[in-house]
Amino acid sequence: MKVVVQRAKDAKVVVEGQTVGQIDKGFMLLVGVTHEDTEQDVNWLADKIVGLRVFEDEAGKMNHSVQDIGGAILSVSQFTLYGDCRKGRRPNFMAAARPEQAEQLYERFNDRLRSHGLTVETGRFGAMMDVSFTNDGPVTLILDSEGKA
């Protein structure tokens, strides 16, 4: 799994003119799933994200987690994270998991985040979405379960 984690002041997802997910301060997540991903990948990444200390404390140091600040998460499925652009001009998406597998793991990922007591809003799996947010910092991290310890 790959997740782009972005510290956000606010974020929302609109589908067909209707807001389907919206948060104030917290994380904007773009979540990609590949064929080999398992429940272990889901749990490792969700737990890693919950514990990330990238929000500033009183001294201005990145020392607080999303839980510490009472933040929320907007999680958006993003199969294009597995686009391979090494050859040609059009991305190859063969590394992205099939929709039925990806949706199941994406939902488990969001449930794991919620199990930590966080509010987790989502986009709509497989839909064309308008995603907007204010990146705070900007702080953007890319996590990949392939290199998990």
Side-chain angles (χ1 to χ4, degrees):
M1 284 180 83
K2 289 183 186 178
V3 180
V4 177
V5 180
Q6 299 168 302
R7 194 173 75 180
K9 291 183 179 181
D10 57 66
K12 76 175 181 176
V13 177
V14 175
V15 177
E16 296 177 359
Q18 186 174 23
T19 299
V20 297
Q22 185 170 5
I23 65 163
D24 290 323
K25 188 171 182 127
F27 282 144
M28 169 69 214
L29 305 180
L30 301 175
V31 182
V33 178
T34 191
H35 306 288
E36 296 84 26
D37 289 334
T38 66
E39 191 84 22
Q40 183 181 14
D41 296 291
V42 165
N43 294 340
W44 184 85
L45 272 171
D47 295 349
K48 174 68 86 174
I49 289 165
V50 170
L52 282 176
R53 297 183 336 178
V54 297
F55 293 92
E56 292 161 354
D57 63 15
E58 303 74 32
K61 295 192 179 221
M62 287 188 188
N63 206 22
H64 290 306
S65 71
V66 67
Q67 285 181 309
D68 295 336
I69 64 152
I73 292 176
L74 179 59
S75 173
V76 176
S77 172
Q78 187 75 41
F79 80 95
T80 60
L81 290 177
Y82 279 99
D84 184 348
C85 299
R86 291 177 291 182
K87 293 183 180 178
R89 299 193 185 274
R90 186 172 36 179
N92 174 326
F93 298 107
M94 296 301 292
R98 301 224 14 100
E100 52 277 0
Q101 177 194 10
E103 185 172 16
Q104 182 181 42
L105 289 175
Y106 170 68
E107 292 301 333
R108 286 183 181 171
F109 172 77
N110 293 325
D111 289 343
R112 180 71 174 212
L113 292 169
R114 288 182 185 107
S115 76
H116 290 279
L118 290 165
T119 297
V120 178
E121 296 280 319
T122 65
R124 187 172 299 149
F125 189 90
M128 289 296 295
M129 296 177 271
D130 295 329
V131 180
S132 60
F133 76 104
T134 305
N135 193 323
D136 182 17
V139 173
T140 301
L141 302 166
I142 301 171
L143 303 179
D144 191 331
S145 66
E146 184 178 337
K148 67 184 174 289

